[in-house]
Amino acid sequence: MKSFRLSVVPLLFLALFTCKDNRNNPLNIDVPNAGRLSWGDTLNIKIKKTSFELDSIKFELNGKPINPPLLLTDEPLGEQTIKAIGYINGKNYIREKKIDIFSDTTPKLFGYEILNSFPHDPTAYTQGLEFHGDTLYESTGLRGESTLRKVDYKTGQVLRNIPLDKSYFGEGITIYDNRIIQLTWTSKIGFVYDLETLGLKSSFDYDISKEGWGLCSDGKYLYKSDGSNNIWILDKETFIETGDKIQATTNRTLINKLNELECHDGYIYANTYQQDREVVVIIDSRTGQVKGLVNFEGLKDLVDPDTNPDVLNGIAYHQNRGTFFVTGKNWDKLFEIKVIPRE
């Protein structure tokens, strides 16, 4: 095998002779169990036989150099990219392959106990809930009907109602540094309001993720869902997407259609939109590992059917009471609940 020194090849030369066109690319790789890898498994990469002489090869996982075989311990979960960079007859070839990395543990199952129920505006197409002290803030959706609201949760009375322009479809909200941050669905714009007055202070764009769905803050980071399994991290001052993300992943699958979010105690509680069951997913905010599933089956049955209630969507943690509050789109009730393990 030839000895090939990368350092002696000018970067311009490499750029001119880099091939990523699969039709003319002799470099082929195989990743055994590419769709079933989990933490604790060993990542192997095999080079498929070729009639060309391979001078040298190096590998990357999400842009970071690796030396297979690699024991997967704390690598990012979800869909990841393997890149092979090979040198054949003095030319640089690149081959990429998608792999899935799953969690090594099964999520715990939880149910719920209803502690209280309170009136809720059945005309509210709820997109986001957030407590600040004893005051509930709510974002509602639908074009021409989207609002930001300040609510007395005990009576359901809307204390302040700020309508959005008819062109916007309101989505999730969170509170950070005495500001309310609100997403819109497909307009790729978010709004920043003064917490006390609800006066509009500024706006910001997001262009990495496709859409705006849910939003929450743990005081250090802001987390944004876009209807996929991705949760994007936003800069806490500008609210611009940093490019970093986590992917909600169990030991078997990637959880899609993540919607309204609530941050609590190092975890992200995420509604899952239009799934077969009313489920809230408990996600490790560092890794994306799904730690638990809360089944809210039966809760919607307690809502007045004459309001044409839609899906569960809206979860907020009340710090002083130590409980969660949940509701849904066009529900006439807001429920105070306790999450309990299932035996």
Side-chain angles (χ1 to χ4, degrees), residues 129-141:
L129 287 181
E130 187 84 359
F131 273 105
H132 185 264
D134 217 31
T135 302
L136 181 66
Y137 294 86
E138 183 171 10
S139 174
T140 70

Side-chain angles (χ1 to χ4, degrees), residues 242-293:
T242 65
D244 294 329
K245 67 179 180 179
I246 59 174
Q247 300 181 57
T249 311
T250 72
N251 59 318
R252 299 178 60 186
T253 189
L254 280 64
I255 304 293
N256 286 299
K257 292 196 173 181
L258 298 177
N259 199 3
E260 216 268 295
L261 307 180
E262 177 69 4
C263 291
H264 172 60
D265 198 25
Y267 297 100
I268 298 171
Y269 290 73
N271 281 278
T272 51
Y273 184 55
Q274 289 185 335
Q275 302 299 303
D276 292 337
R277 295 182 298 171
E278 302 284 7
V279 172
V280 167
V281 183
I282 305 174
I283 305 163
D284 187 316
S285 62
R286 296 177 302 104
T287 65
Q289 185 180 33
V290 175
K291 293 288 190 177
L293 304 171

Side-chain angles (χ1 to χ4, degrees), residues 28-56:
N28 282 294
I29 61 173
D30 178 47
V31 181
N33 301 319
R36 295 306 321 162
L37 290 164
S38 300
W39 280 344
D41 291 341
T42 298
L43 172 65
N44 286 297
I45 305 175
K46 297 180 179 179
I47 304 298
K48 293 184 179 179
K49 248 186 158 182
T50 177
S51 58
F52 294 87
E53 184 177 0
L54 185 65
D55 300 330
S56 65

Side-chain angles (χ1 to χ4, degrees), residues 76 98 112 120-121 179 185 191 224 256 266-267 274 313:
K98 299 292 185 181
Y112 64 95
H120 181 255
D121 180 4
R179 292 171 289 180
W185 181 26
F191 298 110
K224 173 187 174 294
N256 286 299
Y267 297 100
Q274 289 185 335
N313 194 51

Side-chain angles (χ1 to χ4, degrees), residues 130-137 149-153 159 175 318:
E130 187 84 359
F131 273 105
H132 185 264
D134 217 31
T135 302
L136 181 66
Y137 294 86
R149 301 177 173 196
K150 190 176 188 177
V151 180
D152 181 337
Y153 79 89
L159 304 175
I175 296 173
H318 195 299

Side-chain angles (χ1 to χ4, degrees), residues 188 204-211 224 226 232-235 238-244:
K188 290 184 173 291
F204 61 95
D205 298 325
Y206 39 92
D207 56 8
I208 301 177
S209 59
K210 294 181 179 179
E211 298 175 353
K224 173 187 174 294
D226 64 358
W232 301 87
I233 298 176
L234 309 187
D235 183 278
T238 65
F239 312 118
I240 301 297
E241 293 166 321
T242 65
D244 294 329

